[in-house]
Amino acid sequence: MAIKIKSLEELVYELNLKFEAVKLGGGEKKLDQQHKQGKLTARERISTLIDTDSSTLEIGAFVGEGMYEAEGGCPSGGVVVVIGYVSGKQCVIVANDATVKAGAWFPIAAKKNLRAQEIAMENRLPIIYLVDSAGVYLPMQNEVFADKEHFGRIFRNNAVMSSLGIVQIAAIMGSCVAGGAYLPIMSDDALIVDQTGSIFLAGSYLVKAAIGEEVDNETLGGATTHCEISGVTDNKYPDDTSCLQAIKNIVDKIGDYTPAGYNRKEKFPPLKSVKDIYSILPADRSKPYDMGELINCLVDNSDFEEYKEGYGQTILCGYARIEGWAVGIVANQRKVVKSKKGEMQMGGVIYSDSADKAARFIMNCNQKKIPLVFLQDVSGFMVGSRSEHGGIVKDGAKMVNAMANSVVPKFTVIVGNSYGAGNYAMCGKAFDPRLIYAWPTAQIAVMSGGSASKVLLQIKVATLKAKGEVITPEAEQQLLEEITKKYEEETLPYYAAARLWVDGIIAPEETRNMISMGIEAANHAPIERPFNVGVIQT
């Protein structure tokens, strides 16, 4: 039985409930324990650090969801990551959540920490680490320790960011153990909270076991030890709040950056309300709608200057402003359109003329230094003899080439379907969008659930028959329902968000802020190479 189709309103309501649950981290009991230790929670630390009433953008709120049930779960991967403003400056903030397995590092936590550092490096943003972690989650050490994208990469990134002049500030606000001790000490500033913060390569129990020395953790690696004896940390503070204020003071004195120069003017709200999207977007993801109407709900003054309006109509390209920033938009048109030859073309499918148009538009945006925004609701490229004879592979490759080699920042919003090569051509995660977010209506997979389930059923039935088993129509139908349910669950945006295939799930009304903050971040990093697409088949 297929998953029940839900309206956008229902999906956003569900999203808000899930986010409220995620914010509890390891649960209310664990939050209370944190307070009894005299410590703020990870989210309270971030709230205290960022400027009052300023915008924030969370990265990976749903990371780890449903992935570690046997281990008791790992909400948000045990670490909270946001882009926010500290003393008026945009920063990446990474805060270990000690209410989740004492802040221990699960495999997905490594991926999330690396994603935070990637954002800081791509955009040349200061990064602030609020450290409170027991170190590697030992039962899964084989998945976090030795590979290229495991935790060692974090310390490598510390060194690389330092060489690039990207400011790193670390506050040791709880445990900081073993290899994790290198992260704060490889930062530019290392602050520590007295009595609650500690840092050492091995704790007192391991020291006793290894060399027979008896020493308590505070003497071994507390704030007084490291500020007055070892010199490992810079300054100690009596509590979390005063330590966070010290970070604000440090950030306040960071010099200005050289902007990339993306164009921004006075911002205006759309003439059409963003809430109109709720009536534009059909609940059934197979139904057509006009993507142009949706774009008018997102762009300033609902002013969208379409490029090649009469050509390649299953992709909309055009210029607009979002929160004052100039953008080039590439979006899948979901209504049925008529081609220049009078043929009817299915919405959400990329045809040769659409790919050709999109490639040329992407090149134009690079020429004019205009950031790109991709709005995905794509079923894939058109197939069949007519398309193959018309060179769909060549035109699709041209679009992918132009998109992949873009030097202007790219931002992706998965509005609805994101299937097959369409995900790639429309700047999926593999093609380095600066930020990629999904709406709760998103579905991400190689192909639609209906198509995939039938293929998987044929394979399963053939395998069973080869073993001599008799499959009744009733059993075949039950198999189809089981396969369909599993496949459709894996296409949901929460499945993607848990694995960081997307940076998060947002309601439509949060989209403008995401894109605006993303372009502002990108404006910190001047373009360092010319735009060159290499070889393209024309």
Side-chain angles (χ1 to χ4, degrees):
M1 184 180 295
I3 294 174
K4 175 185 176 291
I5 295 175
K6 298 177 182 178
S7 69
L8 179 55
E9 289 91 341
E10 289 176 301
L11 292 171
V12 170
Y13 178 75
E14 182 181 271
L15 169 65
N16 291 332
L17 288 180
K18 283 179 174 288
F19 184 56
E20 289 303 313
V22 159
K23 288 196 293 187
L24 293 175
E28 293 183 358
K29 190 173 182 180
K30 293 289 186 180
L31 295 173
D32 289 341
Q33 288 176 1
Q34 188 93 338
H35 291 150
K36 287 175 182 177
Q37 293 170 16
K39 301 195 293 185
L40 299 175
T41 65
R43 291 184 180 276
E44 287 169 344
R45 286 166 177 165
I46 292 173
S47 179
T48 303
L49 181 61
I50 60 176
D51 298 342
T52 305
D53 297 327
S54 62
S55 297
T56 59
L57 182 64
E58 183 158 352
I59 307 295
F62 296 106
V63 158
E65 177 157 314
M67 292 179 64
Y68 302 106
E69 299 304 315
E71 308 295 330
C74 187
S76 285
V79 59
V80 184
V81 176
V82 303
I83 302 174
Y85 297 88
V86 179
S87 297
K89 293 181 175 66
Q90 205 175 37
C91 301
V92 177
I93 305 168
V94 181
N96 298 118
D97 187 351
T99 70
V100 179
K101 292 287 192 296
W105 293 344
F106 278 68
I108 197 64
K111 190 172 184 179
K112 186 170 178 178
N113 275 269
L114 290 171
R115 177 61 177 145
Q117 290 183 320
E118 180 182 40
I119 290 170
M121 286 190 282
E122 283 183 329
N123 299 292
R124 299 296 191 269
L125 290 179
I127 184 166
I128 299 167
Y129 308 101
L130 306 180
V131 184
D132 193 346
S133 172
V136 167
Y137 184 64
L138 288 178
M140 306 185 81
Q141 64 84 28
N142 62 315
E143 297 181 49
V144 300
F145 174 63
D147 207 349
K148 180 178 179 180
E149 299 301 326
H150 286 174
F151 264 101
R153 191 76 174 181
I154 294 173
F155 313 135
R156 174 263 185 193
N157 287 349
N158 287 142
V160 170
M161 283 192 281
S162 183
S163 72
L164 293 171
I166 299 169
V167 174
Q168 300 176 84
I169 302 167
I172 301 155
M173 312 185 86
S175 297
C176 189
V177 184
Y182 287 105
L183 183 146
I185 308 311
M186 294 185 76
S187 300
D188 303 314
D189 295 273
L191 319 180
I192 187 167
V193 178
D194 197 16
Q195 300 303 310
T196 57
S198 60
I199 179 168
F200 33 65
L201 296 181
S204 56
Y205 292 122
L206 184 53
V207 168
K208 170 69 172 175
I211 64 174
E213 180 184 2
E214 293 192 12
V215 61
D216 62 87
N217 282 337
E218 187 64 26
T219 302
L220 184 65
T224 298
T225 294
H226 286 311
C227 286
E228 299 177 14
I229 300 174
S230 72
V232 166
T233 52
D234 303 332
N235 291 296
K236 65 178 179 179
Y237 300 89
D239 51 42
D240 284 7
T241 303
S242 57
C243 185
L244 295 167
Q245 182 58 53
I247 294 174
K248 293 182 185 182
N249 296 341
I250 293 170
V251 175
D252 181 58
K253 296 172 181 65
I254 295 174
D256 290 337
Y257 62 92
T258 302
Y262 303 119
N263 185 271
R264 191 180 200 184
K265 292 187 175 179
E266 184 181 357
K267 65 181 180 180
F268 294 95
L271 296 181
K272 293 192 69 173
S273 170
V274 176
K275 286 291 186 182
D276 288 345
I277 291 172
Y278 287 74
S279 59
I280 294 170
L281 204 59
D284 186 343
R285 300 305 315 119
S286 65
K287 298 294 184 183
Y289 64 92
D290 188 349
M291 178 63 84
E293 290 183 11
L294 189 148
I295 290 172
N296 285 332
C297 297
L298 294 175
V299 302
D300 292 11
N301 280 326
S302 300
D303 184 11
F304 179 58
E305 305 165 37
E306 195 167 345
Y307 172 80
K308 291 184 180 287
E309 181 177 355
Y311 177 69
Q313 295 177 71
T314 63
I315 286 185
L316 298 179
C317 299
Y319 303 103
R321 290 188 182 274
I322 292 178
E323 295 285 303
W325 293 103
V327 296
I329 295 175
V330 181
N332 303 111
Q333 175 58 286
R334 280 303 307 269
K335 68 179 183 181
V336 178
V337 299
K338 185 179 289 187
S339 75
K340 60 185 176 182
K341 298 178 182 178
E343 302 163 341
M344 301 309 292
Q345 295 183 339
M346 294 184 293
V349 177
I350 303 175
Y351 290 77
S352 284
D353 54 357
S354 300
D356 176 65
K357 177 175 81 171
R360 178 60 181 264
F361 179 72
I362 290 166
M363 294 177 196
N364 275 342
C365 287
N366 277 272
Q367 181 82 350
K368 298 167 185 172
K369 203 158 75 170
I370 299 174
L372 286 160
V373 174
F374 293 83
L375 301 178
Q376 286 197 15
D377 196 343
V378 58
S379 302
F381 286 86
M382 190 58 190
V383 297
S385 61
R386 184 189 296 269
S387 292
E388 298 295 354
H389 296 171
I392 184 65
V393 175
K394 176 187 67 178
D395 290 319
K398 186 192 304 182
M399 178 181 173
V400 171
N401 195 322
M403 179 274 301
N405 283 296
S406 273
V407 295
V408 295
K410 305 181 295 260
F411 303 90
T412 302
V413 181
I414 303 177
V415 171
N417 301 334
S418 181
Y419 294 150
N423 170 280
Y424 299 159
M426 293 294 294
C427 197
K429 183 67 181 288
F431 291 86
D432 297 323
R434 293 293 177 96
L435 294 170
I436 176 169
Y437 279 81
W439 287 0
T441 43
Q443 296 180 351
I444 305 165
V446 170
M447 62 180 74
S448 70
S451 300
S453 298
K454 290 173 185 175
V455 173
L456 291 168
L457 176 65
Q458 290 172 3
I459 295 170
K460 182 72 173 176
V461 169
T463 301
L464 292 172
K465 286 182 177 178
K467 294 178 179 178
E469 297 185 31
V470 177
I471 307 298
T472 65
E474 292 79 13
E476 189 170 318
Q477 179 61 33
Q478 184 178 349
L479 263 178
L480 177 61
E481 291 180 1
E482 291 172 358
I483 291 169
T484 300
K485 182 175 185 296
K486 179 179 184 296
Y487 190 90
E488 291 192 352
E489 285 175 351
E490 291 175 358
T491 69
L492 293 175
Y494 295 98
Y495 190 90
R499 290 154 181 80
L500 260 182
W501 299 348
V502 295
D503 290 317
I505 306 170
I506 55 174
E509 49 267 41
E510 299 173 83
T511 305
R512 281 168 54 85
N513 177 63
M514 181 275 285
I515 294 170
S516 176
M517 288 190 70
I519 298 175
E520 182 181 348
N523 204 38
H524 287 73
I527 295 171
E528 295 179 345
R529 63 179 177 88
F531 176 61
N532 188 339
V533 294
V535 176
I536 292 184
Q537 296 284 346
T538 58

